[in-house]
Amino acid sequence: MMLRLQEIGCHNINVVTPTHYAPHIIYSLDKAADRELTIPLVYNTHGWERPGILKLIDGVVDIYLANFKYFDPQKSALYSPGAENYPEITKAALVEMNRQVGAAIPDDDGLIRKGLMIRHLVMPGAAGGLIEVIKWIKGNLPADTYVNIMSQYGPNFQHINTPKFQEE
């Protein structure tokens, strides 16, 4: 399938939330590379990655597209139950991803073929901690790190069991 995507002109292979399939992805990439797969692999992740998995894929991934959802552990636990350690793990993961691939730099044609790009979703009530996230990125990653600040969140407070965002 990867070779077919390359054949029809895709610019990359984008694996989404792929952690639990990492061994299978590596196996498939190895087979495809033997048959001349040359387009980049994008590891599209929520950011909450275990160090062991990142070490396993060191040298395999060309582009990390990682979320940095929350800066505050209490808000992380509130809005993503069981994820109170999300900020700590994600920060370490982003540093490791950057070590592996560096900052994303577009080629002459405007395409990125290697590097780290980070997404942050702006949520009501500063639930994600946009300012803190940006300050952390500025203090811990290269100045030319790509950051996509997404503002498309549209809360629908009519849903049952949806926690209401607290005003700050």
Side-chain angles (χ1 to χ4, degrees):
M1 180 184 279
M2 293 178 200
L3 292 167
R4 177 68 181 131
L5 291 171
Q6 178 176 274
E7 182 181 303
I8 63 173
C10 289
H11 296 292
N12 59 58
I13 303 297
N14 188 337
V15 292
V16 181
T17 316
T19 305
H20 55 297
Y21 292 111
H24 307 291
I25 292 167
I26 292 169
Y27 177 78
S28 299
L29 279 169
D30 187 48
K31 293 275 189 198
D34 285 346
R35 295 174 53 201
E36 300 185 24
L37 179 73
T38 59
I39 58 177
L41 175 69
V42 178
Y43 200 83
N44 190 335
T45 173
H46 46 65
W48 197 19
E49 295 291 343
R50 294 180 177 175
I53 294 293
L54 292 176
K55 294 211 184 309
L56 176 68
I57 58 178
D58 189 357
V60 175
V61 172
D62 299 295
I63 300 167
Y64 282 105
L65 181 57
N67 291 341
F68 191 169
K69 294 180 182 184
Y70 309 104
F71 191 82
D72 180 273
Q74 285 78 31
K75 289 189 179 178
S76 178
L78 177 64
Y79 300 117
S80 296
E84 58 277 345
N85 61 354
Y86 176 88
E88 176 185 336
I89 289 173
T90 300
K91 289 176 200 175
L94 292 171
V95 169
E96 174 60 19
M97 292 172 192
N98 182 72
R99 184 197 66 76
Q100 289 182 20
V101 297
I105 301 170
D107 283 346
D108 292 338
D109 59 6
L111 296 176
I112 293 179
R113 292 184 171 76
K114 187 174 181 91
L116 169 64
M117 294 182 284
I118 301 170
R119 295 176 297 210
H120 179 75
L121 177 61
V122 176
M123 296 185 283
L130 171 64
I131 301 301
E132 293 88 352
V133 164
I134 297 300
K135 285 181 180 178
W136 184 88
I137 291 169
K138 181 181 178 190
N140 294 276
L141 296 172
D144 55 353
T145 299
Y146 272 60
V147 179
N148 181 0
I149 299 173
M150 304 181 302
S151 61
Q152 69 264 33
Y153 182 80
N156 182 347
F157 291 108
Q158 302 304 314
H159 287 264
I160 297 173
N161 297 326
T162 301
K164 292 188 177 185
F165 293 96
Q166 301 169 352
E167 292 297 322
E168 294 196 23

